[in-house]
Amino acid sequence: MKITDLLKKDTIILHLSSSNKQEVIEELVNKLDEAGRLSDREGYKQAIIKREEQSTTGIGEGIAIPHAKSEAVKNAALCFGRSKDGIDYESLDGQPANLFFMIAAPEGANDTHLDTLSKLSSMLMYDDFRQSLLNAGSADEILSIIDAKQTELEGEESADQPAPDAAEAAEEGYVLAVTACPTGIAHTYMAADALKAKAKEMGVNIKVETNGSTGIKNPLTDEDIKKASGIIVAADKQVEMNRFDGKPVVQVPVAQGIRKPEELINRALKQDAPIYKAKGGAEQETGGTEKTSIGSQIYKHLMSGVSNMLPFVVGGGLLIAISFLLGGINPTDTTSADYNAFAAALNQIGGGANGAFFLLVPVLAGFIASSIADRPGFMPGMVGGLLAATAGAGFLGGLIAGFLAGYVTVGVKKCFNWLPASLEGIKPVLIYPLFGLLITGLIMVFVINEPVVYLNTALTNWLETLSGANAVILGLIVGGMMAIDMGGPINKAAFTFGIAAIAAGNGVPHAAIMAGGMVPPLGIALSTTFFKHKYTRQERDSGLTNYVMGASFITEGAIPFAAADPIRVIVSSVVGAATAGALSAAFGCSTPAPHGGIFVLALIERPFMYLLAILIGSAVTAIMLGFWKKNAEIKNVA
């Protein structure tokens, strides 16, 4: 198939009117839409923006190749735009871009289409081809230049040098490479071609495996890996890494394969790279920078714990809410006239002594530790989290337990590196579990739990001093606390205080707490509905689920939005939640149920006023976000 089967005169813009990256994307997308190549213009544009979030497609040398694979595309197509003066596209070399090829691939694109699109990436590596496109006087000339170059290069784009024999590889060096980008259409093949062209120029033997949309091409064999001097992995997505165990591996983003092929090849030849050690899984994530900051690592470990904890929050919380709906104030009280065995079972599954909610802190700690120390860290983390939960140290104790267990296990691994290879097998089954658990458990029991419990108690005692005549102030404070960390220790301290207040016969504080906890997800859901231009398509889809999360009093539904834009989302959520909490207390709303959200509305005193408080608080959050957040296109692209 020819590239000009996908690029037509009605998708060529010889003189772009855009002045920045956002406008270029808008102009090219509009051209594809006007030509009838798209079924959903906005959906495709958001797919392009999402790809730009991962790394700029301005690859340098005056070229930008924005691309996306999306169900919003009717048929595979290309759009070409040109700016002789150049436009700032945040290119890797910091220079303006002149030639823009927007690739539109449908979700069901066949291999022929994708292979054809990848050929364009190879052609753009040639200076004469780029200069010809820049000087062309008409759309017909553009198409003619592309046809001629494709004919010239036909059959060469996938050619590799034959693999050397063992003696030649040892004497001259043999470099392997793997290239991969998230979409697998453009950067994957451009990096491969850049590496092969530079290796040919340097007289170096090379073999390049591409992990593209059509699958793995030119795969590396065990024999190749055995012969290789070094390996280059230029990738922004997961590739199979364990096969490189014991070999020097240069790991870089795919863009460096395009920009710095000579440097990468020299590093591989000189074995100037860490020796890769195989890990537990069949695939390991690679790409990005070679070193990440401590803050980024901590955030990654924390998010591993939170993401694995969320299903317990959602499943357990909804079951608890339904149990209150079916079984009244106390679903597990067998002496109650409202007792319902099914409701009691739901409550036990969702939040009983051995239910989903009971496992929140251990799961959080276990997966944080596992993220830090791989599989050996999981068990000490789980037990550390369990010790924190049973001691009353709560989520803060669980966070500490997770990081403690993870880094303790890393330390244990290093301490026993001296063991001979013959004893390697006993490390994961005996040494790591024993010492990881022992050290973590002792520190949690004798050092961590007591002060963290004291801190939680101090917060609860401080809240109690604000009760009575200052009910509105109390409602404002505890409502806002529910939104500060959205399920974290501050949120749980307020929630625990509300439970204690219910036990003491005062349901007003907990009504304010539940209202405040419902506002962040509901406010975000409303904002994604009424301020659509502020959010990506994926965020708008997530916003719909927040209607259910918010109505069910699951504040954690707001966490992904807070993680992506913490200042705006958290501040807006706190203001809205504090407003709802203060209004709930001012209206005299009271609840005997500790959980359930909208499902326990019938049990709440002054239910209509309670709903009004929640709606006003959610509207405050939604409006703040709507005016404060940047447009999705600017936020994600500029």
Side-chain angles (χ1 to χ4, degrees):
M1 174 181 274
K2 291 185 176 182
I3 291 171
T4 50
D5 290 334
L6 304 176
L7 176 66
K8 301 294 185 181
K9 286 199 289 185
D10 61 353
T11 57
I12 293 177
I13 305 174
L14 289 177
H15 304 287
L16 287 167
S17 61
S18 304
S19 60
N20 58 48
K21 184 174 185 176
Q22 177 192 344
E23 291 177 2
V24 169
I25 291 175
E26 188 78 30
E27 191 170 353
L28 295 176
V29 169
N30 285 342
K31 190 67 172 176
L32 283 169
D33 189 47
E34 291 167 4
R37 307 302 198 274
L38 306 177
S39 59
D40 179 358
R41 189 195 74 87
E42 184 64 22
Y44 176 67
K45 184 174 75 171
Q46 292 304 325
I48 288 287
I49 291 170
K50 184 177 179 181
R51 173 62 186 88
E52 293 294 329
E53 288 177 349
Q54 295 165 335
S55 63
T56 181
T57 57
I59 61 173
E61 305 293 342
I63 307 166
I65 312 180
H67 56 277
K69 191 175 181 183
S70 170
E71 60 185 13
V73 178
K74 289 182 181 177
N75 303 107
L78 278 170
C79 181
F80 172 73
R82 185 178 68 182
S83 170
K84 290 192 175 182
D85 294 333
I87 300 170
D88 181 7
Y89 201 82
E90 299 178 356
S91 296
L92 295 171
D93 60 1
Q95 299 301 309
N98 307 97
L99 305 175
F100 302 85
F101 281 91
M102 180 169 279
I103 299 175
E107 282 292 350
N110 59 42
D111 290 0
T112 303
H113 283 150
L114 294 173
D115 283 340
T116 302
L117 293 172
S118 71
K119 290 176 183 177
L120 172 66
S121 305
S122 304
M123 293 161 61
L124 287 168
M125 301 303 297
Y126 291 85
D127 292 338
D128 60 339
F129 177 66
R130 299 196 300 271
Q131 196 60 45
S132 297
L133 291 177
L134 197 58
N135 295 332
S138 67
D140 285 326
E141 190 175 352
I142 293 286
L143 297 174
S144 176
I145 290 167
I146 293 172
D147 268 342
K149 193 65 176 179
Q150 184 173 355
T151 300
E152 177 188 338
L153 299 178
E154 197 68 48
E156 296 181 9
E157 67 278 349
S158 61
D160 282 280
Q161 299 178 30
D165 58 31
E168 184 183 355
E171 181 180 350
E172 300 179 5
Y174 182 36
V175 173
L176 303 180
V178 180
T179 62
C181 71
T183 310
I185 296 174
H187 287 58
T188 299
Y189 302 100
M190 295 187 77
D193 287 330
L195 287 165
K196 287 188 285 187
K198 183 57 66 173
K200 184 177 182 180
E201 178 184 316
M202 297 168 65
V204 174
N205 297 299
I206 194 169
K207 179 175 180 179
V208 184
E209 171 186 295
T210 55
N211 285 225
S213 289
T214 58
I216 295 174
K217 298 292 179 67
N218 204 32
L220 306 181
T221 66
D222 291 342
E223 188 64 25
D224 289 327
I225 295 168
K226 184 178 178 181
K227 293 178 184 177
S229 304
I231 296 158
I232 300 165
V233 176
D236 290 333
K237 71 171 189 176
Q238 286 185 336
V239 300
E240 185 184 345
M241 293 292 294
N242 280 352
R243 53 186 165 157
F244 303 138
D245 186 33
K247 304 293 289 189
V249 179
V250 181
Q251 296 187 57
V252 295
V254 69
Q256 288 197 31
I258 303 170
R259 300 289 305 146
K260 302 178 180 179
E262 184 172 4
E263 177 186 322
L264 299 179
I265 291 169
N266 281 327
R267 286 185 61 188
L269 286 172
K270 296 174 182 176
Q271 300 187 337
D272 178 21
I275 301 298
Y276 187 81
K277 294 188 180 297
K279 299 179 182 178
E283 292 185 348
Q284 302 300 327
E285 187 172 344
T286 186
T289 57
E290 292 183 81
K291 293 183 179 180
T292 55
S293 68
I294 293 175
S296 297
Q297 292 177 36
I298 290 174
Y299 179 77
K300 170 192 158 191
H301 302 323
L302 177 61
M303 286 301 101
S304 177
V306 170
S307 63
N308 283 285
M309 177 191 75
L310 280 180
F312 293 82
V313 175
V314 176
L318 287 174
L319 288 181
I320 292 171
I322 295 171
S323 76
F324 282 121
L325 180 66
L326 299 177
I329 296 173
N330 191 347
T332 60
D333 183 4
T334 56
T335 64
S336 170
D338 297 325
Y339 177 75
N340 179 315
F342 182 67
L346 294 183
N347 190 274
Q348 178 65 24
I349 295 168
N354 299 304
F357 260 43
F358 178 76
L359 294 172
L360 295 185
V361 174
V363 167
L364 174 71
F367 279 98
I368 288 174
S370 178
S371 177
I372 295 168
D374 296 321
R375 190 177 302 172
F378 183 72
M379 184 275 291
M382 281 285 290
V383 177
L386 181 64
L387 291 171
T390 54
F395 276 72
L396 180 57
L399 288 172
I400 295 172
F403 284 100
L404 173 65
Y407 289 115
V408 162
T409 304
V410 169
V412 169
K413 287 181 176 181
K414 290 182 178 179
C415 287
F416 285 92
N417 273 344
W418 56 269
L419 285 178
S422 59
L423 297 178
E424 192 72 24
I426 72 167
K427 289 181 181 179
V429 298
L430 176 60
I431 294 174
Y432 298 159
L434 173 61
F435 288 98
L437 178 59
L438 176 65
I439 298 171
T440 300
L442 289 175
I443 294 175
M444 288 301 298
V445 170
F446 291 109
V447 180
I448 302 298
N449 282 345
E450 187 173 346
V452 175
V453 171
Y454 176 81
L455 177 61
N456 285 340
T457 303
L459 283 171
T460 302
N461 291 339
W462 174 68
L463 288 171
E464 287 176 346
T465 64
L466 298 175
S467 57
N470 296 318
V472 175
I473 297 176
L474 174 62
L476 182 145
I477 292 173
V478 296
M481 288 176 69
M482 292 299 291
I484 289 175
D485 55 359
M486 302 177 183
I490 297 175
N491 171 289
K492 296 309 176 191
F495 184 81
T496 302
F497 169 73
I499 299 296
I502 289 177
N506 183 359
V508 172
H510 199 74
I513 287 165
M514 188 153 64
M518 294 167 70
V519 162
L522 287 175
I524 287 168
L526 289 171
S527 185
T528 59
T529 298
F530 292 102
F531 299 93
K532 293 182 177 180
H533 59 291
K534 302 287 184 174
Y535 300 91
T536 66
R537 182 179 182 182
Q538 183 180 6
E539 287 174 330
R540 293 198 301 273
D541 291 342
S542 298
L544 295 176
T545 65
N546 270 347
Y547 280 113
V548 178
M549 301 280 272
S552 304
F553 183 35
I554 300 174
T555 317
E556 287 84 351
I559 287 176
F561 291 85
D565 191 0
I567 299 298
R568 295 181 181 89
V569 171
I570 292 175
V571 172
S572 301
S573 295
V574 168
V575 173
T579 301
L583 289 174
S584 173
F587 295 154
C589 301
S590 175
T591 178
H595 209 288
I598 197 117
F599 295 102
V600 296
L601 189 63
L603 304 175
I604 295 174
E605 189 174 341
R606 301 183 181 177
F608 294 109
M609 299 304 291
Y610 189 62
L611 275 179
L612 180 62
I614 294 169
L615 289 174
I616 292 173
S618 300
V620 167
T621 293
I623 292 170
M624 282 188 68
L625 286 172
F627 284 101
W628 194 0
K629 285 178 72 69
K630 296 179 181 179
N631 289 346
E633 297 87 348
I634 297 173
K635 172 172 70 72
N636 291 325
V637 178

